[in-house]
Amino acid sequence: MTLRDIAYALGLSVSTVSKALRDSYEISKDTKERVIAYARTNHYLPNRMAKSLKEGKSGSIGVVVCSIDNSFVSRMLDGIDGVCAQAGYDIVIMQSKESLVQEKSCLKQLEARGVEGILISPSAETIGFEHLLALRETGMPIVLFDRISERFESDQVGIDNYHAAFQATEHLLANRYRRIAMLNIGLDIPFARLRSAGYLDALKKKHLTYGKQLIRPCWPDTGETLKDRVRASIQSLFELAEPPDALFTATDQLSTLSLSVLHEMGHRIPEDIALIGFSNTELADVLTPPLSTIYQPALEIGRLAAEKLIGLISGRGLSEEYETVILPAQLHIRDSSRPGVKVQVNG
């Protein structure tokens, strides 16, 4: 079904049909309704490629995420998709797999496809942002979401990573845990560094200064899975002369993998070790035990980031200064971090 087919069937010109489908003021209401009804009944779909060539716009937005295999990222993508669809944009989703090389490849492919803007949650290996700066200098609008960073000046949407980690650690301290270990994905990554800082400052507030000894970076070596690294990290913590009585995990994947590994190793939660971490899984309530989590407003992060980017593309969001939107995270307390029965060190 083409515009010409509709025009022939209704006895109209191709130009009139085209204008009617675009809701032009030049076409009467009755004619518009007639054209739209016929197009819908006959399953007419506009030729997006022809339209983009004519208008010089692709009608698509590129989205780069670390991975789509966890619920947190999926919810952010839902928020992005909802806003983009309403604004008439398609989204092209690509995964960096936590690799800077792969991230650069994704960006090149998206640029080659002619996307009108890019939403990106940087990979764990992205410490410098020269590649994003070079892309933006070509005129490409870019918005960072989730993994925001002060190292790259742009519009960004994320959470208060420092306060979320501080709040989680303070919760464990209030429940009489004192040797609190932390699994993080790397101390050089901006958002991970802020979560480590929040954790350490909560300990300092209680005059506990051993924190750095109990932090384990969980970045897999070649040929090793993330779960392998989590298992090795937890094993090394339990081999300490004074093993931890609680564990704070700094990402969604680390949280669920730690719960699995602790079960496999035969440790009871929270009797042997308490657990709390970042996680947006809807199954947190039915896990064994129900998992205490820091819940991030993933849908809202995606929604606001997409709105910002579309504003930049349309020119409505242009400003002399970049804006960083910080959303609050919520502490959801469940059985995995219920109060400990003893205090192992003073403080």
Side-chain angles (χ1 to χ4, degrees):
M1 175 64 61
T2 67
L3 290 178
R4 192 174 300 278
D5 294 330
I6 298 173
Y8 179 80
L10 299 179
L12 301 170
S13 70
V14 173
S15 175
T16 298
V17 171
S18 176
K19 289 178 180 179
L21 291 173
R22 287 187 283 111
D23 196 26
S24 171
Y25 69 92
E26 300 176 65
I27 307 302
S28 70
K29 181 181 177 182
D30 288 344
T31 300
K32 286 180 187 177
E33 289 178 351
R34 222 170 106 218
V35 170
I36 291 170
Y38 187 86
R40 185 180 294 118
T41 300
N42 290 276
H43 309 291
Y44 166 76
L45 292 173
N47 187 325
R48 292 291 297 268
M49 184 173 292
K51 186 172 183 287
S52 66
L53 288 172
K54 182 178 179 180
E55 298 180 357
K57 299 178 181 178
S58 67
S60 60
I61 285 172
V63 184
V64 182
V65 293
C66 56
S67 177
I68 59 173
D69 65 353
N70 68 71
S71 59
F72 173 60
V73 173
S74 296
R75 290 292 286 165
M76 288 195 297
L77 291 174
D78 280 346
I80 292 169
D81 184 59
V83 170
C84 290
Q86 188 171 14
Y89 287 92
D90 294 329
I91 59 173
V92 182
I93 303 168
M94 305 198 78
Q95 304 179 78
S96 68
K97 296 293 186 180
E98 302 289 20
S99 163
L100 177 57
V101 171
Q102 180 70 12
E103 178 176 293
K104 291 179 179 179
S105 175
C106 291
L107 292 170
K108 286 182 179 179
Q109 292 181 60
L110 290 171
E111 185 180 16
R113 289 188 182 204
V115 297
E116 296 183 44
I118 288 175
L119 294 166
I120 181 169
S121 179
S123 76
E125 293 182 351
T126 304
I127 307 302
F129 291 86
E130 294 80 7
H131 59 302
L132 287 178
L133 183 60
L135 182 58
R136 189 172 64 196
E137 287 176 350
T138 68
M140 179 72 75
I142 298 174
V143 173
L144 260 63
F145 69 102
D146 177 32
R147 296 180 175 182
I148 59 179
S149 174
E150 72 281 359
R151 297 177 183 174
F152 179 64
E153 292 187 357
S154 71
D155 287 302
Q156 307 187 28
V157 181
I159 67 160
D160 188 337
N161 289 291
Y162 173 88
H163 183 259
F166 186 96
Q167 190 179 19
T169 309
E170 198 169 50
H171 162 69
L172 291 171
L173 290 166
N175 281 359
R176 298 186 292 169
Y177 296 103
R178 290 298 179 267
R179 289 190 60 79
I180 302 170
M182 180 185 191
L183 299 189
N184 208 340
I185 64 171
L187 304 184
D188 291 331
I189 305 165
F191 82 91
R193 189 177 66 251
L194 286 170
R195 292 178 185 183
S196 290
Y199 156 82
L200 290 169
D201 284 353
L203 296 178
K204 289 176 185 176
K205 185 178 176 182
K206 281 287 187 180
H207 308 291
L208 300 171
T209 57
Y210 57 79
K212 290 183 180 179
Q213 302 168 21
L214 294 179
I215 295 180
R216 292 290 188 277
C218 288
W219 188 247
D221 294 327
T222 303
E224 183 182 44
T225 67
L226 182 57
K227 186 171 183 178
D228 291 335
R229 176 51 52 187
V230 169
R231 183 181 292 105
S233 298
I234 292 176
Q235 183 64 45
S236 69
L237 288 170
F238 277 100
E239 290 172 353
L240 294 173
E242 291 184 280
D245 57 7
L247 180 61
F248 167 46
T249 51
T251 72
D252 189 280
Q253 284 184 304
L254 291 178
S255 300
T256 51
L257 288 174
S258 293
L259 181 64
S260 174
V261 167
L262 286 168
H263 278 309
E264 290 173 7
M265 295 174 69
H267 295 295
R268 299 170 301 161
I269 306 170
E271 291 81 2
D272 298 331
I273 186 168
L275 177 62
I276 188 171
F278 285 80
S279 183
N280 275 50
T281 175
E282 296 177 357
L283 299 176
D285 278 315
V286 298
L287 294 173
T288 306
L291 181 63
S292 293
T293 60
I294 299 161
Y295 185 87
Q296 304 170 82
L299 192 73
E300 188 74 353
I301 291 172
R303 186 182 68 78
L304 290 177
E307 287 178 352
K308 268 197 172 303
L309 184 63
I310 291 171
L312 291 175
I313 293 170
S314 66
R316 294 192 308 272
L318 294 178
S319 172
E320 292 184 2
E321 295 184 359
Y322 295 115
E323 181 184 15
T324 296
V325 178
I326 301 295
L327 301 174
Q330 301 172 357
L331 182 62
H332 290 184
I333 300 171
R334 301 183 181 91
D335 288 352
S336 70
S337 64
R338 67 173 182 259
V341 296
K342 60 181 178 179
V343 175
Q344 297 187 14
V345 296
N346 58 14

